[in-house]
Amino acid sequence: MAALSAPAAPPIETRPRTGVFIGLLAAGGLFLLLALAAFLHFEHSGHIATGMDNQIVWGIPHVFAVFLVVAASGVLNVASIGSVFGKPDYKARAPLSGLLALTMMAGGLVVLAADLGRPDRLLVAVTHFNFKSIFALNMLFYSGFFAIVAAYLVTLMNRRLNPYARALGFLAFFWRLALTTATGSIFGFLIARSAYGSALMAPMFIIYSFAYGLAAFLIVQSAMYAWNGLASNARVLARMKNLLAVFVGAALYFTVVMHLTNLYFAKQIAYERFLLLDGGVYTTAFWFGQIGLGGVLPLALLLIPGAGQTRVVIASALVTLGGLAQMFVTIVGGQAFPLDLFPGHAVSSRFQDGIVNAYAPVPGEFALGFGGFAFAFLITVIAVRVLPFLPRDAADASALKTTD
Amino acid sequence: MNERGDIGNNDNRGNNARDGNNGRRGFIAAAATLTTLATLTLAPGIRLIQIAAARPEEEAASAAVRWGLLIDVTRCQTGCEDCVAACGKENGLGEVARPRTDAQWIRKIDLKEHATGRALSLPMMCQHCAHPPCVDVCPTGASFKRADGIVLVDRHICIGCRYCMMACPYKARSFVHEPHTDQNPEVPRGQGCVEGCTLCVHRIDRGETPACVAACAAAGHAAMLFGDLNDPASAISQRIREVRTTVARADLALDPGVRYEGL
């Protein structure tokens, strides 16, 4: 199990240069400050200052927040493949995987909290639980996730506690599956709207999380190698690249199945027509963003022979972009399509009944969303500066002793 | 009929005090007069004085009662928004100046049947479901159903997550998008919380009908009938037994407390 403990690598190799470090902190800090300004503005003026209204109640902040939460659970898979499935290449990456899981989850939850109507009542949210609410269960899953992954991380990085890493790795793996099931079910349990209310949401979100999380991991790992002047291990990169391709393909499969089943149900055809053909920005985001940029193109980049680090990073960035597009389509597109209040009737009212709901997000909403990324980014940058998170493979570092 | 009575029916508790002495007879006579006044119906569903059916403050809402509304779509007039205006005034919502973000607890919907072209107009508000999705999804329990079937939001523990708005199939909830002043003390509202039709619970607890029902009656349409769905003798129950009524999105099986006639 000693391999699970990250090696005490020479500082010069595992830490970005001080200038780079300060620059990264400043960049992340700037985004965080912008997010803070947006938060204070919305908090003071109310949501009237956002593009959200009584029809589009969850907007861009939720797109970023849910993406980060889903990707956070997915990024932990790298550690799980090491601890649960015993793959040494992934064990070496387990600490970074655990760290990213924590920081991205924190980033997502910060955005979710900042977008509440009453963020000052966070304490109420953790003291009053409606256990029938999947949202409340999610809060328990998120809290547990922090505790379990933090403990797992400690066992990974502390040689003395290393024997417990496997057990905690198992626990973290099952916990994260439950967590993403619950996150997908936030939408899966909504009977009101045509876009949601499907049991497929839970497994689909799990497979999305696999893809988004691994893509995020590959981007961070490549950046860290670049900071330290290291090249990726070609063999390991090839394995991870193929795994990402499998996840992206599986995500596409679930998306296709979801829409094909919808097309089979007469009551869902109007929604599918909206999303696939007539939905304007949502149709574009679906075909161009989620399917094209986030699915087909990265698959091609990953599977056409000769993919090196650059191509893998580009593919990963595209998967991330596609993930944001998918969240936009799922969350905002699902609300834009009008409710079917009286089936068989055309409806109209002063409350925007019967029409496709317009949504024009303000820059502050994007600032809040990017703030979640900045929050995760800053904690990650500081953590990798002070602790040895850099993935080291046996072939690359003689300091790393693999014993299992 | 239980102690709280059905506002849709006449209530005459004064008749119980008949066995007193002569000295009390005058008082009883006066009480009977007052009672008659109290039950005097100005229009269906509206009374001059409504004291008799009020529930004592210390008494909790009872599950023996289920408040409901029956809306006769054939009597509801296209273009009439008296119920909407009355709701806004009663609950301190004010005029709808910004339809996208202003709270609209009740709204008029114009319908046109695809197959026949039949045009209808009806009010839509919280349907006070027996199985409300908003209550199921609310993480803190701020969305709750009172024992007598009224679905409410506890403004003290609503965190403004808006998940209930995602869950409601009737789009019956509004989010308070900006600071508010000039509130009705009986209907506290706050920026950042979600709210919706309370069925004028403060009026019901005083023994009155919801403001929309009163306004509809005052306008002479009498398209809204309020009462206790659990009381077989109530006007609403009798009407529901007599005519075919339906609920919005019956396919969802939420058992709404609001029913529509003539839809």
Side-chain angles (χ1 to χ4, degrees):
Chain A
M1 295 299 290
L4 288 172
S5 136
I12 191 87
E13 283 187 14
T14 57
R15 298 174 184 184
R17 290 181 301 276
T18 302
V20 175
F21 176 67
I22 301 287
L24 292 173
L25 282 189
L30 179 68
F31 276 96
L32 201 59
L33 272 179
L34 287 173
L36 188 65
F39 165 69
L40 291 174
H41 175 48
F42 298 156
E43 164 73 356
H44 178 72
S45 313
H47 274 62
I48 191 83
T50 71
M52 290 174 263
D53 56 26
N54 281 326
Q55 322 302 323
I56 305 289
V57 300
W58 288 355
I60 290 296
H62 273 76
V63 170
F64 280 79
V66 181
F67 173 83
L68 278 168
V69 167
V70 168
S73 60
V75 82
L76 191 65
N77 268 16
V78 173
S80 300
I81 296 170
S83 291
V84 178
F85 301 104
K87 304 287 181 194
D89 290 339
Y90 288 88
K91 278 184 184 174
R93 286 159 177 77
L96 179 60
S97 159
L99 172 70
L100 287 174
L102 289 178
T103 60
M104 290 170 75
M105 180 63 74
L109 294 184
V110 162
V111 179
L112 271 187
D115 188 48
L116 289 177
R118 293 297 303 262
D120 55 313
R121 289 185 179 167
L122 261 187
L123 205 59
V124 173
V126 293
T127 51
H128 292 70
F129 282 102
N130 167 22
F131 288 102
K132 199 177 177 188
S133 165
I134 192 70
F135 218 30
L137 293 180
N138 266 282
M139 288 183 204
L140 295 177
F141 276 122
Y142 298 151
S143 312
F145 186 81
F146 279 114
I148 292 167
V149 176
Y152 177 40
L153 206 51
V154 170
T155 61
L156 286 172
M157 302 190 71
N158 184 322
R159 203 175 289 271
R160 201 164 47 81
L161 297 173
N162 220 223
Y164 302 104
R166 189 173 165 81
L168 272 165
F170 263 98
L171 180 61
F173 177 62
F174 289 113
W175 193 269
R176 67 123 320 211
L177 287 181
L179 182 148
T180 322
T181 301
T183 309
S185 299
I186 286 178
F187 301 98
F189 286 176
L190 289 176
I191 53 157
R193 295 167 192 266
S194 310
Y196 311 127
S198 165
L200 260 187
M201 282 288 176
M204 192 163 72
F205 265 59
I206 288 179
I207 200 66
Y208 284 165
S209 82
F210 285 5
Y212 306 160
L214 186 55
F217 184 89
L218 286 167
I219 293 170
V220 173
Q221 176 182 257
S222 300
M224 287 176 68
Y225 281 145
W227 295 342
N228 294 289
L230 293 173
S232 294
N233 179 310
R235 181 185 55 82
V236 176
L237 187 70
R239 296 186 66 154
M240 297 186 86
K241 164 189 86 76
N242 289 339
L243 188 62
L244 181 62
V246 169
F247 288 164
V248 171
L252 277 176
Y253 164 78
F254 266 84
T255 307
V256 168
V257 169
M258 173 90 178
H259 293 294
L260 279 181
T261 48
N262 266 349
L263 282 168
Y264 206 83
F265 304 140
K267 66 174 184 175
Q268 292 289 63
I269 289 174
Y271 168 69
E272 287 299 326
R273 185 178 174 82
F274 164 76
L275 181 66
L276 304 179
L277 293 175
D278 308 329
V281 66
Y282 306 107
T283 303
T284 307
F286 177 75
W287 287 112
F288 185 70
Q290 182 180 347
I291 301 296
L293 285 183
V296 177
L297 191 56
L299 263 189
L301 286 172
L302 294 168
L303 294 179
I304 292 172
Q309 173 145 321
T310 310
R311 222 206 276 175
V312 171
V313 170
I314 292 172
S316 299
L318 287 172
V319 170
T320 304
L321 271 180
L324 286 167
Q326 174 266 314
M327 289 298 173
F328 177 72
V329 170
T330 303
I331 297 174
V332 184
Q335 296 170 81
F337 187 70
L339 291 180
D340 195 9
L341 270 174
F342 292 96
H345 293 79
V347 296
S348 62
S349 78
R350 203 168 48 174
F351 203 50
Q352 288 82 42
D353 284 299
I355 58 167
V356 172
N357 297 304
Y359 172 53
V362 299
E365 290 174 66
F366 286 97
L368 211 52
F370 281 115
F373 276 92
F375 191 70
F377 175 79
L378 280 174
I379 309 174
T380 307
V381 165
I382 294 168
V384 300
R385 170 89 178 165
V386 297
L387 288 167
F389 280 106
L390 185 76
R392 303 292 297 271
D393 293 298
D396 301 331
S398 57
L400 184 67
K401 292 184 175 53
T402 50
T403 56
D404 58 352
Chain B
M1 194 165 68
N2 62 54
E3 194 178 352
R4 292 170 60 189
D6 178 3
I7 295 159
N9 290 326
N10 290 344
D11 194 331
N12 49 0
R13 291 182 190 184
N15 292 343
N16 295 334
R18 291 279 165 87
D19 54 352
N21 56 34
N22 285 344
R24 291 172 62 194
R25 287 185 192 235
F27 171 75
I28 291 167
T33 311
L34 269 176
T35 306
T36 309
L37 272 176
T39 56
L40 190 69
T41 304
L42 291 177
I46 227 181
R47 309 270 180 72
L48 184 62
I49 306 168
Q50 297 182 328
I51 304 164
R55 175 166 57 84
E57 268 185 34
E58 64 278 6
E59 187 185 312
S62 162
V65 178
R66 182 169 182 213
W67 297 118
L69 278 176
L70 175 62
I71 295 162
D72 186 347
V73 178
T74 61
R75 301 176 75 118
C76 183
Q77 304 295 306
T78 303
C80 173
E81 297 225 341
D82 286 12
C83 55
V84 178
C87 174
K89 186 162 180 255
E90 177 67 32
N91 296 297
L93 307 181
E95 293 289 315
V96 176
R98 290 191 265 210
R100 284 180 60 241
T101 48
D102 282 350
Q104 298 190 47
W105 293 8
I106 181 172
R107 63 192 192 271
K108 283 297 294 292
I109 295 185
D110 293 318
L111 285 86
K112 195 169 186 182
E113 196 172 13
H114 289 308
T116 62
R118 181 187 179 218
L120 298 165
S121 177
L122 54 79
M124 171 59 65
M125 72 293 275
C126 173
Q127 303 287 292
H128 299 281
C129 309
H131 310 291
C134 56
V135 172
D136 288 347
V137 303
C138 178
T140 64
S143 274
F144 70 102
K145 190 178 66 167
R146 212 168 76 149
D148 53 9
I150 303 176
V151 175
L152 297 167
V153 179
D154 182 340
R155 311 300 170 87
H156 296 287
I157 56 172
C158 172
I159 57 172
C161 73
R162 317 189 285 290
Y163 194 22
C164 56
M165 299 176 76
M166 294 287 282
C168 176
Y170 308 107
K171 226 168 58 163
R173 289 215 161 157
S174 293
F175 181 65
V176 184
H177 282 79
E178 50 193 321
H180 277 279
T181 53
D182 200 20
Q183 299 191 16
N184 174 358
E186 285 184 309
V187 189
R189 307 177 62 216
Q191 176 190 323
C193 286
V194 176
E195 54 185 33
C197 161
T198 66
L199 217 54
C200 283
V201 66
H202 58 290
R203 287 169 62 102
I204 291 176
D205 286 348
R206 283 201 304 256
E208 300 170 19
T209 58
C212 55
V213 176
C216 188
H221 304 314
M224 303 172 91
L225 183 59
F226 170 77
D228 180 7
L229 295 168
N230 282 352
D231 177 8
S234 69
I236 189 171
S237 293
Q238 289 179 15
R239 184 76 184 154
I240 288 171
R241 275 201 304 276
E242 286 165 8
V243 298
R244 184 179 176 275
T245 63
T246 187
V247 296
R249 294 300 306 268
D251 56 315
L252 298 177
L254 302 174
D255 188 8
V258 179
R259 302 189 70 89
Y260 292 90
E261 174 186 341
L263 192 62

